[in-house]
Amino acid sequence: MLSKTVIYLLLAVASLLSIFPFYWMFVMATNENSAINSVPPAMIPGSQLVTNFQNVLNTIDFFGAIGNSLIVSTITTIGVLFLCSLAGFAFAKFHFKGKNILFVAILVTMMIPPQLGLIPQYIIITKLDWLNDLKAVIVPGLIDAFGIFWMRQYISSNVPDELVDAAKIDGCSNFRVYWNIAVPVIIPAFATLAIIKFMYMWNDFLWPLVVLRDESTYTIQIALRGLIDNYVKDNGMILSGTFWATVPLVIVFLLLNRLFIQSLTEGAVKS
Amino acid sequence: MTVAQIQPQTSSQKPLKKRKSSFRESTKEAIAGYLYVSPFFILFAIFGLFPMLFSFYLGFQKWNGLGEMEYVGLQNFEWIITDPLFWKSLSNTLIMWVMGTIPQLIIGIILAYALNSALVKLKSIFRVSIFMPYVTSTVAVAIVFGIMFNDQDFGLINVILSWFGVDPVSWSTTEWGVKIAISTMVFWRWLGYNTIIYLAGLQAIPNELYEAAKIDGATTRQKIQYITIPMLRPIIILTVFTSTIGALQLFTEPLVYIGRSYREEGLTVVLYLYREAFVNLAYGPASAAAIILFFIIIVLSAINVFVANRIGK
């Protein structure tokens, strides 16, 4: 049996190493470059919090990029919740020819690496004239095979057939059954999928990098990368940018950590 | 995630009583069904299936995106296969996969086991701290670690090494320096995520099993070997699977860390593909590289499933 001390030591070291980069990001965001570039580097917060962030604002359109990320992530998340729950509901509760084949086809698409179609996708976006348009990220982001799979499983086991049948006998249209019977029951599944999708879209890098070339359309990930392209490396400024881009995510996580962890493990463990 | 697990369970789906529905009603239901699932298939046809098939076509063409396409047979594949840089990017990817993934999964299991121990107090604090790296953007992680792995003697990692009398390392220019830096980023960001997944798996193991084993006089080692590992097997398979696929698609960390120089020490397959396509505008060779990557992922996934099915059986 591992002794208690060893267990605590292990967890304490892992926790400290996990948190340290966040702390150091804050330390650097509040220090001058000279303090960062000395031996040993600064380890306690300094007084340059405002100056460093002002430099970020002079280098990139920080709030514009956060706004773009919010637009992209929010619209795709809402869209995916609606489209996936609707499709999941149809797969779980409706009878129609070829249903199972269509469902297996959706599962198969999950196995394809997204990079395979990268160049033709880019060409399609160019042909649609969506280059440097947030639509280029939002519309393909609405495809979510995992979301359909997830919703189908949840609806199958949580929305009773009897309830669906009863509503139909009472003359509910198919969409009303979805909206009034299924949607209220699947709120927890919505929460899970929303967290997974929002995080994914917020962090996506390769595809926005390919289709968003104009600074006014940058998402925060692309804008952050722009910080390090400067000729003179201003580490205080750079980490101020990453720090302020990370803070909102961490706050949301700390407020909702139970839901967060539960959501992400549910999505992973059950599938 | 094995194929057996994700098969639709049609048998349990059928309603208990046969619904007495008129012909009109069932037609309406079928139409609604097709309508509700159609957005996925329409979008996927445009942005998924067509691009995929077109990539296979492009792999045999010479094209820079502007002029006429020219059929060149296997020339693009020859070009990729004889390019030492491609092999370099492939071996880099595999090395970083091993360095970033295997320690991550092993230490993740150990941490999950520790977190699951009944002895530990402050569980939620440890859990939240360890999970926090997952809740940052990959770009931010790559930037922060890039500054930690500064080549100068004031770089944080070099300062720490100097306490142990080690000379400063040129992390961004040496063969192993670059790989260690990138693998560390991957390790740091995903360790907590995998730990929490394993923890969820451990908590799903019924306690009665351990109690029964205890009555039978099993040692801790035997409990781990005969209860924990076999019960955790599906979760381990899942994490090996997802982290392998993730590692083969490694892109953000190396691009942010090595920057526009595309230094070959940190070049990965996807970075190579990106560079061929969007920097060199060599769409044919880039498509050929994408096709090769696709087959590598299929082969490695198949090996994963094969090995996973044998572990612990």
Side-chain angles (χ1 to χ4, degrees), chain A residues 58-136:
Chain A
N58 292 336
T59 315
I60 58 169
D61 181 9
F62 183 84
F63 292 110
I66 291 268
N68 287 337
S69 280
L70 271 178
I71 292 171
V72 165
S73 308
T74 311
I75 296 179
T76 41
T77 303
I78 293 172
V80 156
L81 292 187
F82 177 66
L83 293 179
C84 290
S85 59
L86 207 54
F89 180 67
F91 279 124
K93 298 294 167 193
F94 288 176
H95 300 271
F96 52 93
K97 254 197 187 143
K99 185 171 89 166
N100 292 329
I101 294 169
L102 290 177
F103 187 67
V104 171
I106 290 180
L107 296 182
V108 170
T109 65
M110 286 204 266
M111 318 265 168
I112 302 163
Q115 294 87 4
L116 180 60
L118 192 64
I119 296 164
Q121 277 162 356
Y122 168 72
I123 296 166
I124 291 169
I125 294 297
T126 321
K127 292 266 190 261
L128 289 170
D129 207 15
W130 286 2
L131 220 55
N132 293 319
D133 189 326
L134 296 181
K135 273 192 293 223

Side-chain angles (χ1 to χ4, degrees), chain B residues 7-37:
Chain B
Q7 291 277 329
Q9 300 144 341
T10 38
S11 54
S12 63
Q13 291 287 301
K14 282 178 184 152
L16 295 172
K17 289 178 290 181
K18 249 194 177 169
R19 205 189 297 158
K20 280 183 205 161
S21 53
S22 68
F23 176 72
R24 241 193 97 214
E25 201 184 307
S26 62
T27 316
K28 256 174 137 182
E29 190 181 281
I31 291 172
Y34 292 124
L35 200 65
Y36 294 175
V37 301

